[in-house]
Structure formats: structure tokens, C-alpha cells
Amino acid sequence: MEIKYAVTVDDLTVAYNYKPVLWDIDLAIPEGVLMAIVGPNGAGKSTLIKSILGIINPIAGSVSIYGKSYDKQRKLVAYVPQKGSVDWDFPTTALDVVKMGTYGSLGWVKRPGKAQKKAALEALEKVGMLAFKNRQISQLSGGQQQRVFLARALAQNASIYFMDEPFQGVDATTEITIINILKELRKAGKTVVVVHHDLQTVPEYFDWVTFLNVKKIATGPVKEIFNDDNLTKTYGINYKVSVQQ
Amino acid sequence: MSSAQIEIQLIASLVAIACAIPGVFLVLRKMALISDAISHSILPGLVIGFFITHDLNSPLLILMGALSGILTVVLVEYIQKTKLVKEDTAIGLVFPAMFSIGVLLIAKNANDVHLDVDAVLLGELAFAPFDRLIVNGIDIGPKSLWIIGTILLITLSLLVAFFKELKVSTFDAGLATSLGFSPIVIHYGLMSIASVTTVGAFDAVGAILVVALMIAPAATAYLLTNDLKIMLVFSVIFGVFSAISGYWLAHWLDASISGSMITMLGFVFFLVYLFAPNRGFISVLYRNKQQQKEVQLLTFLLHLNNHTEENERHINHLNEHINWHKIKAQSIVDLAEKNNMIVINNQIIALTPKGKIFTEKAIDYIITNDDSKIESMKKDFFLFRG
């Protein structure tokens, strides 16, 4: 059977001030995988996600979502940015932030109504945050804020989810809540792409992995390619030795 | 009140509302200084507009002024993108240069008209009622009332239409982009509105008061609410209140109207800063003091809970053991006793069942951060409110 690809990236090159951050990336993400993107700091992991989502303009290359350009398919895609990318003192509540996930389906000018509120409440319930729906977002703990961000993506009701370090600085309870939801999404046939830092948990959490360090090192099933050879190539040190020490 | 007085207050109120709305978003986007830059750098645009039309009331002046405001924003962003200087430096570089070009243009070419630098900086609201708009021979009110009224109407319609887009792009520009709401379009839309409002308002209130009317009401409202819509409403209320009370202050002092309005804006901010229920100075001070006391109480209860031996719980030994001053120790013991958390028998202190449950729940919360069991305690203790 031929594999169906949710996301294909061709010859993608991104540079900040002429310094390449991503260099000639070819990547095909099969539909229905739960994929980790791993690599050292500055490897371009967040940049890769942001260029797929059109937040950063690449200097070369192209991206397609189910064979069409991102502009035409944006309703199929949900995004969880890094928690630190927004100002949590913004005057708004958890429910209101989650509702923002539904704005994409509304388009310009049209305002959210009952259907959007219902979707937002359901999403909050899934991440166990319903009790905090009217809480001002600065009054939430780091883990709770991350769950609100996840709920916002769930409220988008997308087919493909991109998440930028959702496990950054969260407690164990939140980490388990998040990974269970990600696994549920995969079960429902969704494609989930996660920028991930903790190499120890890769085999347990993910079934697909991409090694990235400015260039793509490898991509494929965790069982086949998550090995010392690729880790060493990506992190530039003898990985096996350094872990044993 | 004469009709001129009513007209002045009406103009001042409309200017306050028109400024407060973009001001809220400028404050939330941490771009307060941009309004200062815009307000000064509209001057060359106005002067050039005047050279073209030779009419101080031409709409072209508003257009040219707004364009030079937007040019300022573009220049600031361009300089900032070079990464040679930071944003505040870029702002400090651009707007004095723009303003001084305007000053030179006036000095060389427009000395004989009513377009002097004092009027630009401070405005003159008192003269606004004398400049009438006459259509087909009928006087339909002061011109500045019509100008600012039109601008306010445009601002309000845009706010209602694009509230959702403004909110999401202000809170999370990355998400806004991925959802297809271009934050760049929103950004320049907001900058355009801020520029047009500044030009429309500065004739009446001057460049400096425009900045105050944009920033002070929003900053004041920010201290009082966690809801963007309420923040907008509060900003409008504070702006209008300061405008009208400032007018009467000026009347009473026989002083500059714009100066008195700024004074009122500052005064209102100061009052709210002191007395705001959650973020105000007094409230924070009180909360810190209470929390300190609660931590001490908990430390004391924990000590009792950890020690069954009587000598550790003797009232005279507490000073030494917890290393507190006598007065502090006494006040904590009194507090615990008042709350029925301890009993004292023969100078020996023991936890009551209530005290024991409280201590264990509190410790449990501090260790696990799970606040489901302590909901009932939140009402009485700041410590547990997260």
C-alpha cells in the first residue's frame, strides 16, 4: 500500500541575516504518525515548524499539506507555540484563549458564537482544565498554561498538529496528560509533530522521529532509526559514550 | 455653562475616547513609546500638506500627517531590523529628526500663519469653538468636533469589526499568522488609526496630551481588570473623566486646559495605583504582610506537629527553638489560638484536631501543588490562592 503523506517539505532553506538555519531540508511526514523532531539547540527545530506554518518565509523550497499549499489547507493545521512566546499578563481568561483556536474556521470579521464556546469548553475538559475556565491566564501555573495552549489547538479540530516543546517546564502530571492526549489524537488518525528535547522519552512517546541539525540527518520509524549512530551524527559528540558517563 | 464650554468638553471627551481605544492596544503590545514618536513626527506631514493646499483645514493635512506618522513607524522598524540598535534607541533617533524637519519647514516658509511650535506641542482647546464648520451658510458646530467625531466613528467601526483579529494578533502573533490573520496588516491598521487619531486630535489638545490620552487611561485600566473588553471600557471612562474634570480644573485655576487634563490623567492613575483591589500598591503591601504572617503560622504549626515531646512545645522554649523574637512569637501564638488551632495547658502547647488537619492539608498542598483539597482554605488565606 502506498503511504499517504500529511506534510511534504521540499528543498527548504531558511536563513536569518544570510546565516542558514535550515539547509536544503527534504521531509515527508506520513499521515497518522506521532513524530518527534530532535536536535541540539540552534538546530532549527522551531524554525522548521514555523516555516511549514508560514510564520517564517524561507529563502528557498516549498511546503505542502496533503498536496496543496499551506494557505489553502490552514484549517487542517493546528499550532501550539512555545509557552514563552506570549505575554501571559494579557488581560484574558483560559476560556478566551482556547476560543482563539476557533478563530481560523471563522475567518475575518465574523465573531465567535455558541458553537465556538462549546468547542472551547470541550477542549478545556479534555485537558482537565474546565474548572479553571474563568481564571485569568497569569494566575495559572506553567503546566496549566501549557494545557490551555494544547486545548486551544484541540479546539481548532485539525488533522495535523504542530507543537513547539509542549513538555518544556511542565510537571509530571501535565506531561502525562499531554502525552495521553497526543496518543489519542494519533489513534483518531491525526498527525502530530512535536519539537522534543528529552531524548530518554522518545521511544516511549513517539513512533516516528526526525533528527535535525541545520540539515536533516534522518527521518523514519523510531524502532528503526532511533540509534546511537544517528544521535551521534545529530549531536556531534559520541553520544553513547557521553550518556554512559 | 455657555455653549462654548459645552463644545470644548464635548471635543475633549471625543478626543479622549478616540485616543483611549488605540491606546489600549499600544499598551498591550508594549508600544506606548510609538505613540510619542507618531505624535511628534506628524509635523512635517502637516506642514507639507499646508504648502500644497494653503488651507489649515484641508483633509489633505490629516492624510499627510498620518502618512508621516506611518513613515515613522516604518523607519523605526527598519532601523531596529538592522540589529545595530534596540527599538527604544530607534524611536529616539527617528522622531526628533522628523519633528525638527517640521520645525525647520515652518520657520523657513510658514512663519506668517497660525502653525507655530507651541500650538503643535500643547494645542489650544479654548480656541476650538471659534473655528466653525459652515455648510450652505448654516453653522453646524466647531470643525474639530466634526473631525474628531468622524475619526472616532471610523475607529469604533474598525474595533467592532476586527476585535477578534486585534485580540489574537496582539496576544499571539504566531498563532494569528498560522490562522491566516496577517499580524502585519493588523499592525499597520492599528498604526494608521493611531496616526490619524493623533493628527485629528493634536490641533485641539497638542502632541503631548495626545500621548497622555492614549497611554494613561489604558495603563490605569490595566491595573483594574483581566478582561480586554472591560479594559477598553475603563480606558474610555478614565479618559473622558480626566478630560472633563481637567477642563474644570483649568477653569478654576485659570490655567492651560491641556495641562490640567494631563494632570488629571496622572492623578487618576496615581489613585488607582494606590488603591486598585489586586494589583494596587496598598493591596500588594497588605497581601505580602498577610502572607508573611501565614507562613510564620504554618511554620509554628508544623513545629508542633513534628514534635510530640513536651519540652519542644513549652511556650517559653518556642522563642529559642524557632528563633523568633518574643513579640512575633506571641502574636503567632495568639493568632493560632484565636483560630482554635492550638490549646495551651500548663504552658504546653498542643494542636487541636482542627489545627492538625489544617497543617497536614497545607503541607500536602505545598508538596504536591494539588489545590483540590484546600479550596475551603483559600477564602481565609492568601497563601493558598496561588
Side-chain angles (χ1 to χ4, degrees):
Chain A
M1 202 181 80
E2 201 184 330
I3 303 172
K4 193 174 174 190
Y5 290 106
V7 183
T8 28
V9 174
D10 290 308
D11 306 319
L12 185 81
T13 298
V14 178
Y16 294 138
N17 293 329
Y18 307 108
K19 184 175 173 283
V21 195
L22 289 175
W23 199 247
D24 200 33
I25 305 288
D26 287 305
L27 179 65
I29 307 172
E31 185 180 40
V33 298
L34 179 45
M35 183 178 101
I37 301 177
V38 297
N41 289 336
K45 304 184 293 292
S46 297
T47 307
L48 176 59
I49 286 192
K50 285 180 184 163
S51 352
I52 294 174
L53 295 165
I55 297 169
I56 291 174
N57 285 326
I59 57 171
S62 66
V63 172
S64 68
I65 308 289
Y66 285 114
K68 289 184 193 154
S69 77
Y70 176 74
D71 282 343
K72 289 186 182 130
Q73 304 278 52
R74 55 172 95 245
K75 282 178 188 168
L76 298 178
V77 179
Y79 171 46
V80 180
Q82 281 187 25
K83 195 160 65 62
S85 67
V86 304
D87 174 13
W88 290 93
D89 284 326
F90 192 84
T92 190
T93 59
L95 175 62
D96 211 35
V97 170
V98 177
K99 246 196 246 172
M100 289 180 192
T102 66
Y103 287 4
S105 62
L106 289 167
W108 287 83
V109 181
K110 218 177 147 203
R111 268 181 277 175
K114 276 185 188 157
Q116 283 71 34
K117 188 175 177 185
K118 191 167 161 267
L121 288 172
E122 280 169 9
L124 273 171
E125 183 160 32
K126 270 186 207 155
V127 300
M129 288 290 293
L130 197 55
F132 299 89
K133 64 179 171 161
N134 293 323
R135 189 75 74 87
Q136 208 276 323
I137 51 173
S138 65
Q139 309 283 313
L140 300 169
S141 71
Q144 290 170 332
Q145 290 174 342
Q146 191 65 61
R147 280 192 265 168
V148 167
F149 257 15
L150 179 62
R152 187 176 71 178
L154 295 177
Q156 286 185 252
N157 196 18
S159 305
I160 308 170
Y161 292 80
F162 288 96
M163 310 196 178
D164 204 343
E165 300 197 22
F167 302 112
Q168 179 81 28
V170 304
D171 53 71
T173 327
T174 300
E175 180 152 345
I176 292 165
T177 312
I178 295 177
I179 195 63
N180 284 340
I181 289 169
L182 300 192
K183 284 177 175 170
E184 263 172 46
L185 287 172
R186 177 182 53 190
K187 219 183 268 172
K190 317 273 187 182
T191 309
V192 185
V193 177
V194 179
V195 171
H196 194 58
H197 254 304
D198 182 7
L199 293 170
Q200 312 290 337
T201 52
V202 169
E204 185 191 341
Y205 289 174
F206 300 94
D207 58 7
W208 212 264
V209 64
T210 294
F211 290 94
L212 190 72
N213 191 355
V214 184
K215 296 171 95 171
K216 184 190 74 181
I217 312 294
T219 184
V222 170
K223 277 180 192 149
E224 290 168 26
I225 68 159
F226 193 73
N227 53 38
D228 296 333
D229 186 32
N230 280 325
L231 284 167
T232 305
K233 272 187 203 158
T234 307
Y235 288 84
I237 43 171
N238 192 334
Y239 191 78
K240 198 173 182 179
V241 173
S242 75
V243 161
Q244 278 168 353
Q245 283 170 349
Chain B
M1 252 192 284
S2 71
S3 74
Q5 286 182 322
I6 293 173
E7 280 172 1
I8 289 174
Q9 290 176 70
L10 198 58
I11 293 168
S13 302
L14 291 190
V15 168
I17 301 171
C19 289
I21 293 167
V24 164
F25 292 98
L26 291 176
V27 165
L28 289 176
R29 288 164 173 252
K30 301 173 179 65
M31 294 178 69
L33 269 181
I34 276 283
S35 68
D36 194 19
I38 290 174
S39 72
H40 284 80
S41 45
I42 56 175
L43 188 61
L46 287 178
V47 179
I48 292 168
F50 178 73
F51 289 164
I52 297 170
T53 59
H54 291 281
D55 174 8
L56 273 175
N57 295 305
S58 161
L60 189 75
L61 263 71
I62 294 189
L63 189 73
M64 294 298 287
L67 278 179
S68 75
I70 293 164
L71 177 68
T72 306
V73 176
V74 173
L75 284 175
V76 167
E77 282 168 5
Y78 178 79
I79 294 177
Q80 194 192 340
K81 258 189 207 141
T82 63
K83 301 221 168 134
L84 297 173
V85 294
K86 302 274 181 237
E87 187 186 12
D88 53 347
T89 313
I91 291 174
L93 282 169
V94 174
F95 87 80
M98 295 283 284
F99 186 70
S100 47
I101 290 171
V103 172
L104 289 180
L105 285 174
I106 293 179
K108 286 306 280 181
N109 303 297
N111 259 338
D112 51 337
V113 293
H114 165 67
L115 191 65
D116 55 83
V117 175
D118 277 1
V120 168
L121 284 178
L122 294 172
E124 198 35 272
L125 204 51
F127 295 153
F130 299 126
D131 194 7
R132 316 297 294 185
L133 187 63
I134 295 171
V135 180
N136 292 333
I138 305 163
D139 178 357
I140 56 166
K143 265 183 193 152
S144 29
L145 189 62
W146 283 94
I147 293 172
I148 198 64
T150 311
I151 292 170
L152 176 57
L153 206 65
I154 295 170
T155 305
L156 278 174
S157 336
L158 289 172
L159 176 71
V160 171
F162 298 111
F163 181 72
K164 158 180 122 246
E165 289 78 4
L166 268 165
K167 182 162 73 176
V168 69
S169 70
T170 302
F171 175 62
D172 190 344
L175 179 79
T177 314
S178 76
L179 293 178
F181 305 117
S182 166
I184 294 169
V185 171
I186 303 275
H187 172 71
Y188 280 103
L190 180 63
M191 290 302 125
S192 306
I193 284 296
S195 298
V196 170
T197 308
T198 307
V199 188
F202 103 114
D203 188 32
V205 299
I208 294 176
L209 185 56
V210 169
V211 178
L213 279 172
M214 285 194 177
I215 305 311
T220 313
Y222 184 71
L223 297 179
L224 288 172
T225 177
N226 292 326
D227 182 315
L228 181 56
K229 280 180 191 157
I230 296 174
M231 184 174 168
L232 280 160
V233 173
F234 278 3
S235 297
V236 166
I237 293 171
F238 289 135
V240 172
F241 172 79
S242 307
I244 292 175
S245 58
Y247 172 76
W248 288 105
L249 180 68
H251 191 74
W252 179 58
L253 293 173
D254 193 17
S256 144
I257 299 176
S258 40
S260 307
M261 280 162 63
I262 306 180
T263 308
M264 284 312 296
L265 283 169
F267 182 65
V268 169
F269 177 80
F270 182 65
L271 281 186
V272 171
Y273 166 71
L274 280 185
F275 298 110
N278 288 314
R279 298 177 198 167
F281 179 75
I282 292 174
S283 159
V284 168
L285 209 65
Y286 173 75
R287 190 165 56 231
N288 286 348
K289 198 146 179 63
Q290 283 305 111
Q291 278 190 353
Q292 194 187 10
K293 208 163 185 185
E294 288 164 12
V295 170
Q296 286 163 354
L297 174 69
L298 201 59
T299 311
F300 168 62
L301 294 176
L302 188 63
H303 176 82
L304 295 178
N305 198 31
N306 282 346
H307 294 284
T308 45
E309 57 275 35
E310 288 198 346
N311 66 334
E312 282 282 352
R313 295 189 282 117
H314 194 279
I315 202 156
N316 290 337
H317 287 274
L318 278 171
N319 301 350
E320 305 160 26
H321 284 274
I322 316 191
N323 200 14
W324 282 344
H325 292 295
K326 208 158 193 163
I327 302 167
K328 191 154 96 184
Q330 189 60 48
S331 77
I332 296 300
V333 171
D334 289 346
L335 182 68
E337 202 177 8
K338 206 175 75 193
N339 282 295
N340 296 324
M341 287 170 172
I342 52 168
V343 282
I344 307 175
N345 270 331
N346 290 333
Q347 306 273 50
I348 306 289
I349 305 175
L351 282 175
T352 61
K354 184 192 168 193
K356 200 168 172 63
I357 291 169
F358 174 85
T359 312
E360 277 162 8
K361 270 187 183 170
I363 296 307
D364 199 41
Y365 165 68
I366 287 164
I367 293 168
T368 62
N369 219 12
D370 171 10
D371 59 2
S372 55
K373 285 183 211 152
I374 56 153
E375 283 299 332
S376 59
M377 285 148 73
K378 281 186 185 174
K379 194 161 60 69
D380 302 320
F381 290 88
F382 287 101
L383 199 56
F384 304 124
R385 291 185 200 169

